[in-house]
Amino acid sequence: MTNILLVEDDEVDVMNVKRAFKKNNITNPLYIANNGIDALIMLRGNGNPPLMPPQQRIILLDLNMPRMNGIEFLRELRSDPKLKPIPVIVLTTSNEDRDKVEAYNLNVAGYILKPVTFSNFVETVATLNKYWALSEIL
Amino acid sequence: MTDAAIAITGTHDLRLVVLSIAIATIASYTALTLAGRLTEDSGRVRTAWLIGGPIAMGIGIWSMHFIGMLSYNLPLPVNYDVPIVLASMGVAIIASAIALFLVSRQYLSRLQLLTGSVFMGLGIAAMHYTGMAAMRLEATPVYNLKLVALSIVVAIGASLTALWIAFQFRSNTTPTSSSLRKLGSAVGIGTAIAGMHYTAMAAVSFAPHSQGVTSSQTLDNSLLAVAIGIASLMLLTLTVLASVVSQRLATETTKAEALQMSEARFRSLVQNASDVIQVVAADGTISYISPSVKPILGYAPEDWLGKKAFDLVDLNDLSHVKHLLEQALCHPASNITSEFRLRHADGATRIFEAIANNLLTDPNVAGIVTTYRDITTRKQTQSALKEALQRLTFHVENSPLAVIEWECDFRVARWSREAETIFGWQAEEVLGKNPQEWQFIYPENLNVVNEVMARLIDGKEQRNVSLNCNYTKNGAIIDCKWYNSALLDESGNLVSVLSLILDVTEQKQAEAALLARAADLARLSSILAQTNTALQKRNQELDQFAYVVSHDLKAPLRAIANLSQWIEEDIGDILTDDTRHQMNLLRGRVHRMEALINGLLQYSRVGRFETATATISVATLLAEVIDSIAPPPTFTVEVAPNMPTFVTERLPLEQVFTNLISNAIKHHPKVDGKVQISVTEQGAFYEFAVADDGQGIDPQYHEKVFVIFQTLEARDKVENTGIGLAIVKKIVESKGGTIRLESQEGKGATFYFTWPK
C-alpha cells in the first residue's frame, strides 16, 4: 500500500487532509512533516533509520512553508538520487504562474489548487486516491 | 726752254666768254628745272624728259664749251674736224644723261653721288679735250699737266655741286621760294663749268709748225659763236618753257582732281549723315536741306526748298524755335544749341537736338546753318532708365529688409528707410562714411566683417551671408543677418556691394528660449523616467502584496470555514437551530471575505499586464460573453447590427462587457428584462453603450457606483462585492477611454464607455 507523506505547515490543512481521508475511507499510511527540512529527515533518516518506509512513497506538497518552502524542497529531492523518483503532487493555494512553471520543471505529478470548500476537497482527495491506487509506484 | 719761248697762247674774246658763261648758267637752270620735272611726272612723259633732257642739257654744255673755244683767238687759222666736234657733243649728252638719271632716283647715297660726280666730271673733261682734239691748225697743243689735272678736279667738283643741288631741288617744289635759289644755283654751276673750261684752256699752249706764221691771218669766228649761242639759247629756252608748261598743266590737273574728290566726299557725308543739315535765310526760308531729311523725317529735300522751316516744327515748340532764330541772328558765327520737336512725314512727333550757326555774312554760305539730330530714342531710353531707377528705389525703400549699398571703397552709397528703422541712423548721418567711422560694427565681429568684405573686394565671392552683431544708434546690440552681393563691371572690377540686412535678434532670443525650454524638458523627462522606475518598483511591490494577500489572507479564511463545518458535523447532535444559522452566517462572511480578496486582486492586476492584440469582431465577442453569462431565457439581450471589427486587446474588452451585461441582468428587478448594446464612432474612439430597462440609479449615486467596494444594496440581498464597476472603470481608463452613466431612478440605466480604435 502506498505510503503518503504530507508536507504541510498549517494544522487546519493537515486536519483537512485527515478528514478527507476519513470521509473517503482511505487507509493508506499517512506521514506528516511540517516543512521541507523535516520532510527530508523523514525520507533519509539522517543516520537513524528513516521514519518512512523506503518504497512505494508519494508526497503531497504544500508550497508556502517556513524554513524550507515547497520549491526548495523539490530541488533538494530531485538532486538526491535515492529520492529522485518519488512522485510529488503539489497541493497549494498559490495560483501564481511562476510557481506552476517551477513545479512542473521539477517533474511534479500534479499541481492541484486547494478547493475552497471542504466538500470539494473531499472529492479532490477521492480522485487522488484513485490515482495512486492505479499507479505503479516504486 | 726754246720750245717754250716759241709757244703761242691764244687770247679770249671777252664778249664771247660772257656769252659762254651765260649759256652755261642757262643750261644749268634748265638742268635743275628738268630734275624737278623728272620726279613729278611719270610714265611716258617721264621717259620723254629722260631722253630730251640730256640732249638739251648736253647741247647747252657743249655750246658753252664750243663758244668758249671760239672765243679763243690764236694767231693761226683754226679749223674744226666736224665728226670729232659731234663726238664731243655726244660725250656731253651722255654725261648729262648720267647726271639726270642719278638725280631722278628716289634715293641717292653719298657713294652714288660721288661716283656720279666723278663720271659726270670725267664726261665733261672728256667732252672738252675731245673738242680740243677737233682743232685743226698748224700747231701742236702742249698741255700743262698740272692745270689739266686741276681742270678735271674742277669738272668733278662742279658736277658734285650741280648733282647735289639738283637732287635737293627735286624734293623742294615750292615755286616762289625756290626760283631765286634755283637761279643762284644755276649761276654758280654755270660759272663752275665755265671755270673748268677756262682752266683747261689755260692748260694748253700751241707750238707752231712753221716759224713764219704771223698773227695777221687771224680768223674771226665770232659770227659762228653767236650763231651757235643763239641756237643753244633757243633750244634751252624752249626746253625750260616746255618744262614750265608741263608743270603748270600737271598742277592744274592735280588741283581739279582734288577738288572733285573733296566735293564727292562732302556730298556723301551730307547724304549719309545721321544729322539733317539745313540752311535758312534770316526769315526762316529754307535755301538748303540735306538729303538725310528723307530717312530722318520722311520728306523729300526738294519739297522744302523755298519754304519756311517753321512748318516742320511741332506747334507746341514754335515760339521756342522762333526764339532760337532770333538768338542766332543776334549772335553771328556762334553755336547755339537747343532741343525741340519736329513733325515727321508720318504725323509722329520726334524730338531733336539742334545746333544753329549764323553764317549770313559768310559769302560761301550766306545763311543760318542748322544741324539737327533725332534724339527721340535717346530721350525714351533716358526716361525708361529714370523710371527703372524710380521703381528700384521704391522697392528698396519698401523692402522689409534694410538695404545698404556700399561704394567700392565701402563708403555708404545708399541707406534705405528700413535701415534707418533697424539701426536708428538717418541716411544723411551715414552717407559717404566708412562703417568704421562710426560705432556700427560690434568690435568682437570686426574680424568676421573685414573678412567678408575682403572676399567680396578680391572677387573670391560674388555673394555671401554673414551673421554678426551691430550697434544701433541708441547703443543697443542687435543680431543681423547680412546678405551681401558684389556688383562687378565688365572687366571684373568691383563697382559696389549691396547688402540686405535682416534683424534676427528676436529669432535668436526665441532660439535661446527654445534651448532653455529643451533643457527644462530634458530635466522633466529625467524626473519622469525616475518616477517611472519608482512606479515599476511599486508595481512589483504590489504584485508581491497581491501574492501575499491571495495566499496568506485566504488560507486562514478557508481554515475558519472548514473548522466551522467540522464543528457543525462533530457536534451536530447538540446544536440548536440558532447556532446552526450562526454557523451558516459565519461561513457566508468567510466566503464574502474571500470574494473581496479576489476582487481586490483582480482590481490590482488591471492595466498592469499587456495582453496580446488581435483583430476582434465585437459582434462575435458579445455573443460569446452573453453565452458565458447565460441569462435567464426570459431575458432579452439585443446587440446592434453595426458592431465594428478592429484590432485591440480582447481580454480587457471582454471583461468590461461581461461586467456591464452581468450587472444589468443581476440587478434587474424583473425576469423579462431587456439589455441593449449599441455603438457610435467618435473620432479615434468607438463609444459603446449598454442600456437596461431596470430600476435605474439615482444621479446622486452615479459617481459612487464606480468606487471600489461600493454597493447600493445590502450584500446579503444580492451577493455583490462592489468591485465590478471599479474594475470596468479602471480597465476603460487604462486604455485611454472614459466611462459614464446616464440614468434616472426607475427609468433604466445606460453605461457609455469609449474604446480606442
Side-chain angles (χ1 to χ4, degrees), chain B residues 203-365:
Chain B
V204 72
S205 60
F206 294 91
H209 294 167
S210 58
Q211 281 295 98
V213 178
T214 61
S215 60
S216 61
Q217 282 189 305
T218 301
L219 286 174
D220 189 358
N221 289 323
S222 297
L223 206 63
L224 181 62
V226 170
I228 292 174
I230 289 169
S232 297
L233 280 174
M234 278 176 73
L235 179 68
L236 289 171
T237 309
L238 279 173
T239 310
V240 169
L241 268 176
S243 160
V244 167
V245 168
S246 152
Q247 187 181 2
R248 185 67 55 85
L249 270 172
T251 313
E252 299 258 302
T253 314
T254 316
K255 271 187 183 166
E257 277 173 5
L259 200 63
Q260 227 172 2
M261 259 176 73
S262 143
E263 203 181 283
R265 191 189 301 145
F266 176 71
R267 190 177 307 123
S268 165
L269 278 175
V270 167
Q271 271 173 359
N272 299 312
S274 54
D275 295 0
V276 178
I277 299 162
Q278 171 188 282
V279 180
V280 296
D283 64 350
T285 311
I286 296 171
S287 62
Y288 172 81
I289 190 160
S290 64
S292 52
V293 74
K294 179 75 186 168
I296 292 171
L297 275 170
Y299 301 111
E302 56 273 17
D303 292 350
W304 281 91
L305 291 178
K307 291 189 180 157
K308 296 281 188 190
F310 304 124
D311 295 342
L312 275 170
V313 180
D314 184 82
L315 286 176
N316 297 312
D317 287 351
L318 196 56
S319 58
H320 176 67
V321 172
K322 285 184 170 164
H323 178 70
L324 176 66
L325 185 66
E326 284 167 23
Q327 287 281 105
L329 289 170
C330 294
H331 304 93
S334 56
N335 285 333
I336 296 160
T337 54
S338 178
E339 269 179 32
F340 48 73
R341 281 165 287 178
L342 296 180
R343 290 183 296 106
H344 192 275
D346 65 9
T349 303
R350 316 274 308 168
I351 306 167
F352 283 84
E353 181 183 66
I355 301 170
N357 197 338
N358 179 354
L359 295 175
L360 282 165
T361 52
D362 184 336
N364 292 322
V365 182

Side-chain angles (χ1 to χ4, degrees), chain A:
Chain A
M1 190 167 264
T2 308
N3 297 296
I4 295 160
L5 172 61
L6 175 63
V7 189
E8 173 64 80
D9 64 321
D10 191 324
E11 199 189 337
V12 178
D13 278 339
V14 173
M15 281 173 66
N16 211 8
V17 171
K18 282 181 177 169
R19 281 237 171 201
F21 268 44
K22 204 170 155 188
K23 277 259 181 187
N24 286 303
N25 297 317
I26 297 167
T27 54
N28 293 57
L30 183 65
Y31 300 88
I32 311 290
N34 285 325
N35 58 56
I37 293 171
D38 289 352
L40 286 172
I41 292 169
M42 288 178 77
L43 289 166
R44 290 171 177 155
N46 276 19
N48 305 317
L51 295 173
M52 259 188 95
Q55 68 282 321
Q56 280 194 300
R57 292 178 294 195
I58 194 164
I59 298 169
L60 295 175
L61 180 66
D62 186 23
L63 293 183
N64 290 318
M65 289 181 296
R67 296 178 69 191
M68 180 186 273
N69 69 27
I71 299 294
E72 287 164 342
F73 168 77
L74 262 175
R75 274 194 207 109
E76 193 68 28
L77 194 75
R78 294 303 182 217
S79 60
D80 186 328
K82 285 184 182 165
L83 305 181
K84 207 174 171 179
I86 302 175
V88 178
I89 297 165
V90 173
L91 199 59
T92 181
T93 51
S94 169
N95 199 12
E96 292 294 318
D97 290 341
R98 195 179 57 212
D99 285 343
K100 289 178 199 168
V101 171
E102 279 192 280
Y104 276 109
N105 282 340
L106 291 163
N107 293 323
V108 293
Y111 191 100
I112 295 164
L113 288 176
K114 285 176 185 167
V116 177
T117 59
F118 178 65
S119 52
N120 286 344
F121 188 72
V122 171
E123 282 172 29
T124 306
V125 170
T127 311
L128 284 174
N129 184 40
K130 282 179 185 159
Y131 163 71
W132 62 62
L134 286 169
S135 299
E136 291 298 322
I137 294 165
L138 292 174

Side-chain angles (χ1 to χ4, degrees), chain B residues 435-479:
Chain B
Q436 316 236 1
E437 289 175 34
W438 82 97
Q439 201 191 26
F440 182 48
I441 301 166
Y442 189 60
E444 283 180 25
N445 294 146
L446 194 58
N447 289 339
V448 178
V449 172
N450 284 338
E451 198 193 319
V452 165
M453 283 179 168
R455 287 208 302 267
L456 291 172
I457 291 171
D458 65 16
K460 271 185 192 152
E461 291 175 351
Q462 213 172 333
R463 60 181 68 80
N464 56 30
V465 179
S466 144
L467 189 66
N468 55 264
C469 292
N470 287 91
Y471 282 111
T472 65
K473 192 181 183 183
N474 60 26
I477 296 161
I478 55 171
D479 291 291

Side-chain angles (χ1 to χ4, degrees), chain B residues 401-655:
Chain B
L401 298 171
V403 181
I404 300 176
E405 192 182 355
W406 310 92
E407 302 286 6
C408 55
D409 60 356
F410 273 97
R411 293 185 180 282
V412 178
R414 186 194 285 273
W415 185 271
S416 77
R417 208 153 46 199
E418 190 60 24
E420 292 177 343
T421 310
I422 290 180
F423 298 115
W425 287 284
Q426 299 299 298
E428 57 265 25
E429 293 178 83
V430 294
L431 282 176
K433 281 190 188 171
N434 190 292
Q436 316 236 1
E437 289 175 34
W438 82 97
Q439 201 191 26
F440 182 48
I441 301 166
Y442 189 60
E444 283 180 25
N445 294 146
L446 194 58
N447 289 339
V448 178
V449 172
N450 284 338
E451 198 193 319
V452 165
M453 283 179 168
R455 287 208 302 267
L456 291 172
I457 291 171
D458 65 16
K460 271 185 192 152
E461 291 175 351
Q462 213 172 333
R463 60 181 68 80
N464 56 30
V465 179
S466 144
L467 189 66
N468 55 264
C469 292
N470 287 91
Y471 282 111
T472 65
K473 192 181 183 183
N474 60 26
I477 296 161
I478 55 171
D479 291 291
C480 292
K481 200 164 189 183
W482 290 73
Y483 300 87
N484 307 307
S485 58
L487 175 66
L488 304 177
D489 65 13
E490 283 167 0
S491 46
N493 297 317
L494 186 70
V495 176
S496 71
V497 172
L498 189 73
S499 299
L500 305 179
I501 307 112
L502 185 65
D503 181 357
V504 292
T505 312
E506 280 179 24
Q507 197 184 321
K508 283 281 227 183
Q509 283 168 352
E511 271 171 29
L514 209 62
L515 222 60
R517 198 67 56 81
D520 276 357
L521 216 60
R523 197 166 47 79
L524 283 175
S525 172
S526 126
I527 291 172
L528 205 64
Q530 285 170 5
T531 312
N532 213 12
T533 314
L535 204 64
Q536 267 177 358
K537 203 174 151 222
R538 207 60 60 79
N539 273 343
Q540 278 172 355
E541 283 170 5
L542 206 59
D543 269 351
Q544 184 61 33
F545 170 74
Y547 185 86
V548 168
V549 165
S550 68
H551 183 265
D552 294 357
L553 295 189
K554 276 159 82 180
L557 284 179
R558 205 169 299 133
I560 292 166
N562 285 346
L563 284 170
S564 73
Q565 198 173 347
W566 295 334
I567 291 166
E568 209 178 331
E569 277 174 17
D570 289 352
I571 56 168
D573 307 342
I574 54 167
L575 277 181
T576 62
D577 284 349
D578 276 354
T579 320
R580 217 181 291 278
H581 179 62
Q582 282 161 5
M583 283 297 206
N584 282 337
L585 281 179
L586 177 76
R587 282 197 295 276
R589 294 294 181 273
V590 166
H591 289 141
R592 188 184 297 167
M593 181 73 186
E594 194 173 357
L596 285 173
I597 290 169
N598 281 338
L600 201 61
L601 273 174
Q602 214 181 340
Y603 182 82
S604 78
R605 285 181 185 187
V606 169
R608 283 198 287 130
F609 301 99
E610 288 277 322
T611 57
T613 58
T615 305
I616 304 300
S617 160
V618 179
T620 312
L621 178 95
L622 282 170
E624 286 170 15
V625 166
I626 292 160
D627 186 55
S628 73
I629 291 169
T634 50
F635 221 88
T636 322
V637 181
E638 276 180 14
V639 178
N642 63 333
M643 285 299 150
T645 298
F646 67 114
V647 176
T648 191
E649 288 180 64
R650 182 195 167 95
L651 208 61
L653 186 60
E654 187 185 312
Q655 250 181 311

Side-chain angles (χ1 to χ4, degrees), chain B residues 48-291:
Chain B
W49 284 121
L50 265 176
I51 296 166
I55 293 172
M57 194 180 159
I59 290 172
I61 294 170
W62 173 81
S63 60
M64 169 266 147
H65 160 78
F66 202 70
I67 290 165
M69 294 289 285
L70 293 176
S71 74
Y72 187 70
N73 293 324
L74 279 173
L76 291 171
V78 179
N79 284 317
Y80 290 95
D81 185 311
V82 172
I84 297 178
V85 168
L86 288 177
S88 76
M89 190 191 286
V91 171
I93 291 170
I94 289 168
S96 298
I98 291 170
L100 281 174
F101 174 74
L102 280 172
V103 298
S104 69
R105 292 175 59 137
Q106 203 73 25
Y107 302 103
L108 190 62
S109 72
R110 287 184 180 176
L111 188 65
Q112 284 172 325
L113 183 68
L114 206 61
T115 319
S117 307
V118 170
F119 272 103
M120 194 183 168
L122 288 175
I124 292 170
M127 174 210 70
H128 179 82
Y129 291 105
T130 310
M132 291 294 283
M135 288 178 91
R136 294 289 174 263
L137 71 172
E138 292 298 306
T140 306
V142 178
Y143 291 101
N144 178 335
L145 285 178
K146 280 183 184 172
L147 286 174
V148 167
L150 181 63
S151 78
I152 292 173
V153 169
V154 171
I156 293 173
S159 301
L160 186 63
T161 315
L163 283 178
W164 187 74
I165 290 170
F167 190 73
Q168 294 303 309
F169 271 103
R170 208 196 56 158
S171 48
N172 195 346
T173 49
T174 39
T176 45
S177 70
S178 65
S179 287
L180 272 175
R181 275 180 61 191
K182 197 158 127 188
L183 200 62
S185 307
V187 171
I189 297 167
T191 314
I193 294 171
M196 177 267 157
H197 174 81
Y198 293 107
T199 310
M201 291 310 285
V204 72
S205 60
F206 294 91
H209 294 167
S210 58
Q211 281 295 98
V213 178
T214 61
S215 60
S216 61
Q217 282 189 305
T218 301
L219 286 174
D220 189 358
N221 289 323
S222 297
L223 206 63
L224 181 62
V226 170
I228 292 174
I230 289 169
S232 297
L233 280 174
M234 278 176 73
L235 179 68
L236 289 171
T237 309
L238 279 173
T239 310
V240 169
L241 268 176
S243 160
V244 167
V245 168
S246 152
Q247 187 181 2
R248 185 67 55 85
L249 270 172
T251 313
E252 299 258 302
T253 314
T254 316
K255 271 187 183 166
E257 277 173 5
L259 200 63
Q260 227 172 2
M261 259 176 73
S262 143
E263 203 181 283
R265 191 189 301 145
F266 176 71
R267 190 177 307 123
S268 165
L269 278 175
V270 167
Q271 271 173 359
N272 299 312
S274 54
D275 295 0
V276 178
I277 299 162
Q278 171 188 282
V279 180
V280 296
D283 64 350
T285 311
I286 296 171
S287 62
Y288 172 81
I289 190 160
S290 64

